[in-house]
Amino acid sequence: MAVLAFAAWAFALPALAAPPEALSAADVKALVAPPAHGTKVLALWSLDCAYCEENLAALRAYRRQHADVDLIYVATDPLSQRDVLEARLSKARLDDVPARAYTEATPDHLNFMIDPTWGGETPRTLVIHADGSRKSYSGALTPERIAKLMSL
């Protein structure tokens, strides 16, 4: 009986994503490629960002209500800080979304490859629709701002 209760409890928990994966210059083309259908959202954040976690949580809540949204957290911090990044996401209960972290010695190069109009400030949200159209925004997100970003 106890085993059944534990199994039911374990399956009720959200699946946790793996620790942040490496993101190199060679990976960016696939990362920013339009999805086959729906929308891809890249939530760019950093450990020293004051309100990045709020944005990540807002985008995660939006994604939970919109099955056609593929959300990926991208930390602009180096992958060498993987444990700290993972701990931050876990503490904020945001660790159920795929995450990436920079591996390049020159993060500005990756920033430009991801979004040539971006100066590197965080939080940054990049929305990529299946038709190839893109929208981006730097700063705190509200539900209205998210809806505007997601609209075609």
Side-chain angles (χ1 to χ4, degrees), residues 99-125:
R100 307 293 299 266
Y102 283 17
T103 61
E104 301 292 313
T106 54
D108 291 341
H109 180 240
L110 285 181
N111 293 351
F112 182 80
M113 289 180 70
I114 291 169
D115 183 353
T117 67
W118 178 35
E121 66 284 351
T122 56
R124 178 77 166 180
T125 306

Side-chain angles (χ1 to χ4, degrees), residues 59-72:
L59 290 166
R60 181 172 154 255
Y62 183 89
R63 186 211 56 196
R64 285 187 170 181
Q65 297 177 0
H66 298 85
D68 63 336
V69 172
D70 182 23
L71 176 61
I72 304 164

Side-chain angles (χ1 to χ4, degrees), residues 4-129:
L4 290 176
F6 176 77
W9 173 78
F11 285 116
L13 292 175
L16 298 181
E21 294 182 21
L23 178 64
S24 69
D27 303 318
V28 172
K29 185 176 180 181
L31 181 72
V32 299
H37 62 288
T39 303
K40 182 187 295 184
V41 177
L42 304 180
L44 297 131
W45 70 288
S46 67
L47 290 169
D48 63 355
C49 174
Y51 47 92
C52 281
E53 288 172 22
E54 293 173 28
N55 274 20
L56 299 179
L59 290 166
R60 181 172 154 255
Y62 183 89
R63 186 211 56 196
R64 285 187 170 181
Q65 297 177 0
H66 298 85
D68 63 336
V69 172
D70 182 23
L71 176 61
I72 304 164
Y73 296 154
V74 179
T76 60
D77 303 289
L79 188 63
S80 62
Q81 294 187 356
R82 175 185 280 177
D83 292 342
V84 178
L85 294 165
E86 185 179 10
R88 176 75 61 86
L89 292 172
S90 180
K91 182 178 179 186
R93 297 182 179 217
L94 297 169
D95 53 354
D96 60 343
V97 171
R100 307 293 299 266
Y102 283 17
T103 61
E104 301 292 313
T106 54
D108 291 341
H109 180 240
L110 285 181
N111 293 351
F112 182 80
M113 289 180 70
I114 291 169
D115 183 353
T117 67
W118 178 35
E121 66 284 351
T122 56
R124 178 77 166 180
T125 306
L126 178 60
V127 176
I128 306 165
H129 297 287

